[in-house]
Amino acid sequence: MTRRLEPLTLANLDELPVPCRSCVFWELDPVAASHAGRNGDTGLEKEAWLSQLLLDWGTAGVVLTIDDEPAGFAIYAPAAYLPRIQAFPTAPVSPDAVVLATGRILPRYLGLGLGKILVQAVAKDVLKRGFRAVEAFGDSRWNGPGCVWPTDFLQAVGFGVVRDHPRNPRLRLDLRSTVTWRSEMEAAVERLMGAIRPEPSPPRPVTVRDAVIRESHR
């Protein structure tokens, strides 16, 4: 399988799964999201949000493809660009963190460790931008695909609870706790990124004709 990570842009926004392509759960506050839903404007609102964020801040997500088919994605941004945060009982987010808002692995690709690859890609980008951590809100009663990450998944990939709640704890992945941890994390990311690059084609066997041509050019 050929796996590739790409930044989320307006050009590949349509590669997000249908429910997520026009979902504005995180991008608008609850009242504005409800209004956009009634007017059928959620798709346009999503584009406008992403366009503004790309201009102001840069990359706001990552898309994972396998054999040129979308397999998963993750969206992240500073808290100021995610109005829904204020509706969570465990808000606000720490000022030194970027928020891992939402994401998904398509059902046919579950169980391959791709969720961890997405989180590691986000962590690498956030670290390069000078932030100390990634924070996320979990869903401890998760029972199917939604807009909030399962708490169990976040903990499995290294997040720790910083503010507990029966339904929506806030979790944190520290990126600069120690120099040693940072170097180990970056090395792990490089290994993961290497794992999703296409493997080089094996060398073509040398034929008798090749040998003759090579000898004539000496």
Side-chain angles (χ1 to χ4, degrees):
M1 294 187 297
T2 301
R3 305 176 184 178
R4 186 173 68 252
L5 283 172
E6 298 177 343
L8 176 64
T9 66
L10 293 174
N12 61 7
L13 182 59
D14 286 339
E15 294 184 7
L16 270 56
V18 173
C20 307
R21 164 61 180 84
S22 58
C23 177
V24 289
F25 177 88
W26 288 97
E27 294 83 353
L28 300 176
D29 64 69
V31 174
S34 178
H35 185 267
R38 289 195 300 270
N39 293 337
D41 295 335
T42 55
L44 292 176
E45 290 285 357
K46 185 95 167 187
E47 291 177 16
W49 175 85
L50 179 58
S51 178
Q52 189 63 55
L53 184 52
L54 288 170
L55 286 173
D56 293 348
W57 192 66
T59 301
V62 60
V63 178
L64 174 63
T65 62
I66 295 181
D67 294 334
D68 296 323
E69 293 292 330
F73 74 96
I75 292 177
Y76 56 101
Y81 291 91
L82 301 167
R84 174 68 66 158
I85 287 174
Q86 303 307 317
F88 281 84
T90 49
V93 172
S94 304
D96 64 348
V98 167
V99 180
L100 177 62
T102 190
R104 185 175 297 185
I105 297 296
L106 273 62
R108 63 182 293 190
Y109 298 110
L110 292 173
L112 301 177
L114 302 182
K116 184 175 182 180
I117 289 177
L118 288 175
V119 171
Q120 291 282 13
V122 172
K124 182 179 181 180
D125 184 51
V126 168
L127 184 63
K128 286 163 58 175
R129 294 182 192 222
F131 290 87
R132 295 181 59 86
V134 178
E135 292 193 0
F137 295 92
D139 184 351
S140 298
R141 301 174 187 170
W142 191 88
N143 60 0
C147 300
V148 182
W149 296 95
T151 301
D152 290 346
F153 167 76
L154 293 172
Q155 291 178 314
V157 295
F159 284 77
V161 175
V162 292
R163 188 172 178 187
D164 206 358
H165 185 269
R167 178 66 184 266
N168 295 127
R170 177 163 53 89
L171 299 94
R172 179 180 174 95
L173 178 64
D174 284 303
L175 304 178
R176 292 184 169 183
S177 56
T178 65
V179 174
T180 300
W181 188 93
R182 179 183 176 186
S183 62
E184 289 176 352
M185 187 279 291
E186 290 178 332
V189 170
E190 290 301 328
R191 287 195 297 271
L192 286 168
M193 295 296 285
I196 66 172
R197 296 190 184 106
E199 294 185 359
S201 301
R204 183 171 62 87
V206 177
T207 64
V208 173
R209 180 175 179 274
D210 292 332
V212 171
I213 292 174
R214 186 179 302 170
E215 187 66 26
S216 67
H217 283 81
R218 287 183 177 178

